[in-house]
Amino acid sequence: MVISGPSGVGKGTIVDELLLRFPTTSLSVSCTTRAPRDGEKDGVNYFFITKHEFKEIIEKGGFLEYSEHFDNFYGTPRKFVEEKLEEGDVILEIEVDGALQVKNAMPEALLVMIEPPSREELYRRLKARGTESEEKIARRMERYDYEISKSYLYDFEVINDDLETAVDEVEAILKRRF
Ligand code: ADP
Ligand code: 5GP
């Protein structure tokens, strides 16, 4: 299952809750060239690598998908996902360009777009999270329109207004109760 949605919409919060509910479901850990945020751990939140290392993995065909985003590269390690799929469901939390590459490579993937109740609420959540500067928040808000414009290419759209309701809806999709 691939989960996308604008930065700050609550993807990470929803995924954390799903992982608690389903211990055999795993979260794919992506590679990124961006710097770790406070509290982020290598191998847990991301594999933090250099642009040079990222290019080497591209050349070896090691990514299931990758894209450039906010001046950095992000990619899903192919082997990591294939191994985890042997144990159970795998969730990828990635942006739209990468999600569509996954759908091409694996048509059985379920694409879920998480949407905020409103643009204003998204801004409020990004501010409240307090991990980005005002300039970075502005860039993430610009990206919002692009992400939402691609929703029609997704299999499901879930509005994250009440958290519990949103998690229940994503759980139903994961367990293919649709
Ligand atoms: P993302 O992973 O999509 O960037 P996060 O999961 O980090 O977003 O959530 C951004 C902020 O919004 C966090 O502070 C989180 O606690 C808060 N949040 C998530 N879901 C809700 C919700 N349904 N209502 C209110 N706040 C929420
Ligand atoms: P952040 O820097 O906030 O962690 O992530 C920025 C964006 O990159 C988010 O939309 C996130 O979903 C996306 N992202 C994270 N990992 C990957 C990945 O492996 N591939 C792609 N295409 N996007 C990713």
Side-chain angles (χ1 to χ4, degrees):
M1 185 166 78
V2 179
I3 294 195
S4 307
S7 187
V9 75
K11 300 180 297 292
T13 309
I14 292 172
V15 168
D16 285 349
E17 183 60 33
L18 280 174
L19 295 175
L20 284 176
R21 292 188 189 185
F22 300 103
T24 56
T25 296
S26 29
L27 178 64
S28 162
V29 180
S30 299
C31 294
T32 184
T33 59
R34 85 151 162 73
R37 295 186 187 124
D38 272 355
E40 283 186 332
K41 288 198 171 64
D42 188 43
V44 177
N45 305 91
Y46 282 104
F47 295 106
F48 294 99
I49 62 177
T50 63
K51 284 194 174 157
H52 179 73
E53 288 168 327
F54 201 98
K55 287 204 176 110
E56 281 185 347
I57 301 177
I58 296 176
E59 277 158 21
K60 287 187 200 138
F63 287 123
L64 178 59
E65 63 72 39
Y66 69 91
S67 71
E68 193 179 355
H69 199 53
F70 301 132
D71 303 326
N72 281 299
F73 289 95
Y74 294 81
T76 304
R78 185 188 298 279
K79 203 154 169 271
F80 188 93
V81 172
E82 286 171 354
E83 283 171 9
K84 293 286 179 191
L85 276 173
E86 311 233 325
E87 296 160 24
D89 291 316
V90 179
I91 300 175
L92 272 60
E93 193 198 311
I94 63 178
E95 55 67 63
V96 288
D97 298 338
L100 299 174
Q101 293 174 46
V102 173
K103 191 72 175 174
N104 265 334
M106 293 182 164
E108 69 276 25
L110 299 170
L111 265 51
V112 182
M113 177 68 76
I114 311 289
E115 298 174 9
S118 66
R119 211 188 151 86
E120 294 68 35
E121 172 61 12
L122 180 68
Y123 179 76
R124 201 196 61 73
R125 286 183 196 173
L126 274 172
K127 282 286 277 190
R129 190 170 69 182
T131 52
E132 263 84 22
S133 64
E134 195 60 46
E135 186 216 330
K136 285 191 173 159
I137 289 178
R139 289 193 64 191
R140 281 164 159 74
M141 290 303 296
E142 275 169 31
R143 177 85 185 172
Y144 169 76
D145 298 318
Y146 176 72
E147 299 256 336
I148 294 296
S149 78
K150 298 286 177 184
S151 304
Y152 76 99
L153 295 167
Y154 276 61
D155 300 305
F156 301 92
E157 292 173 54
V158 172
I159 296 178
N160 180 20
D161 190 353
D162 173 62
L163 180 62
E164 194 72 12
T165 308
V167 176
D168 287 346
E169 283 181 37
V170 181
E171 172 183 332
I173 297 164
L174 183 67
K175 295 300 157 191
R176 294 165 178 77
R177 294 195 297 266
F178 49 82

